[in-house]
Amino acid sequence: MVDWKFSDELVDYQVAVAAMEARVAAIAAGEADEMIWLLQHPPLYTAGTSAKPSDLTDPDRFPVYKAQRGGQYTYHGPGQRVGYVMLDLSKRGQDVRKFVHDLERWIILALAEFGVKGELRSGRVGVWVTRPGLAPYADGAVREDKIAALGIRLRKWVSFHGISINVDPDLCHFDGIVPCGIAKHGVTSLVDLGLPVSMADLDVALKRSFDTVFGE
């Protein structure tokens, strides 16, 4: 069984991390079921284990937290759906590479329900969309923007942290960092793409796509 938790109010980052770590410990001890927690945070930046100080371009703009997940700097805030993924990989094959691939596939399938073609790029973490309707880059390449991010950590083969998908955040809030260390490309959202998707709409798509990728 996988428990699903949906938080309507903004959740303090440190409160969320403490709750997530407690649940991960309980899952590892066999005292709790796996969990997916879908929520939103107040505006903040998180620094993954590979974050470079130079990529935090506006350190006084929002609170900055060190995260135990892999990756570099990310932004979380209202209008972005964060999914904390607490799954027991000791029961799911103990294949970290496959797990990351499955998280990417989960996001891509959820986006596809809204007609969005999410794509992966070698050397770039996250899920991307091409923007042929916008001005190309100086070298003539089609513009690509990031719509979703992921970063995980394992403890006793139980995952925590997870994914984030931009529904309708203030995209200017990403200006205080170099998202995931990639300066060339921009950031987009479902609403920025012209799709009037609500958080509830995305939650339904995520639940359905999760069952397709991970099963129950």
Side-chain angles (χ1 to χ4, degrees), residues 12-94:
D12 178 84
Y13 181 75
Q14 292 175 306
V15 170
V17 169
M20 180 169 48
E21 292 191 341
R23 182 66 177 233
V24 165
I27 294 170
E31 298 170 352
D33 291 329
E34 298 173 306
M35 173 179 277
I36 305 296
W37 186 9
L38 300 180
L39 53 84
Q40 299 175 71
H41 287 304
L44 59 94
Y45 298 128
T46 65
T49 55
S50 301
K52 301 175 182 178
S54 60
D55 286 343
L56 181 62
T57 59
D58 191 355
D60 298 323
R61 188 168 190 176
F62 298 125
V64 181
Y65 299 98
K66 289 185 177 180
Q68 295 177 316
R69 57 163 177 80
Q72 302 187 43
Y73 279 103
T74 60
Y75 165 78
H76 294 314
Q80 180 192 74
R81 187 48 112 197
V82 173
Y84 286 136
V85 181
M86 293 160 269
L87 298 181
D88 188 352
L89 298 196
S90 68
K91 300 177 180 178
R92 294 175 177 269
Q94 294 186 341

Side-chain angles (χ1 to χ4, degrees), residues 96-115:
V96 178
R97 181 172 295 183
K98 179 181 182 300
F99 179 57
V100 172
H101 174 75
D102 286 344
L103 290 174
E104 293 169 337
R105 181 170 168 241
W106 178 28
I107 295 169
I108 289 170
L109 286 176
L111 293 174
E113 295 207 12
F114 307 105

Side-chain angles (χ1 to χ4, degrees), residues 73-181:
Y73 279 103
T74 60
Y75 165 78
H76 294 314
Q80 180 192 74
R81 187 48 112 197
V82 173
Y84 286 136
V85 181
M86 293 160 269
L87 298 181
D88 188 352
L89 298 196
S90 68
K91 300 177 180 178
R92 294 175 177 269
Q94 294 186 341
D95 187 333
V96 178
R97 181 172 295 183
K98 179 181 182 300
F99 179 57
V100 172
H101 174 75
D102 286 344
L103 290 174
E104 293 169 337
R105 181 170 168 241
W106 178 28
I107 295 169
I108 289 170
L109 286 176
L111 293 174
E113 295 207 12
F114 307 105
V116 175
K117 184 180 180 182
E119 301 179 6
L120 306 178
R121 291 292 181 264
S122 177
R124 288 192 245 147
V125 178
V127 177
W128 301 78
V129 294
T130 58
R131 308 293 303 275
L134 300 181
Y137 295 114
D139 60 4
V142 175
R143 179 172 166 178
E144 296 178 330
D145 289 340
K146 190 172 188 175
I147 194 168
L150 66 154
I152 63 165
R153 184 179 174 90
L154 298 179
R155 182 174 295 160
K156 296 182 179 179
W157 285 106
V158 179
S159 66
F160 59 116
H161 295 283
I163 68 170
S164 62
I165 300 175
N166 297 330
V167 178
D168 189 21
D170 186 337
L171 296 179
C172 293
H173 289 179
F174 287 88
D175 294 344
I177 58 171
V178 178
C180 298

Side-chain angles (χ1 to χ4, degrees), residues 191-208:
V191 172
D192 183 53
L193 294 174
L195 301 168
V197 177
S198 70
M199 205 64 69
D201 294 332
L202 179 61
D203 289 349
V204 171
L206 284 170
K207 181 67 165 61
R208 186 157 44 221

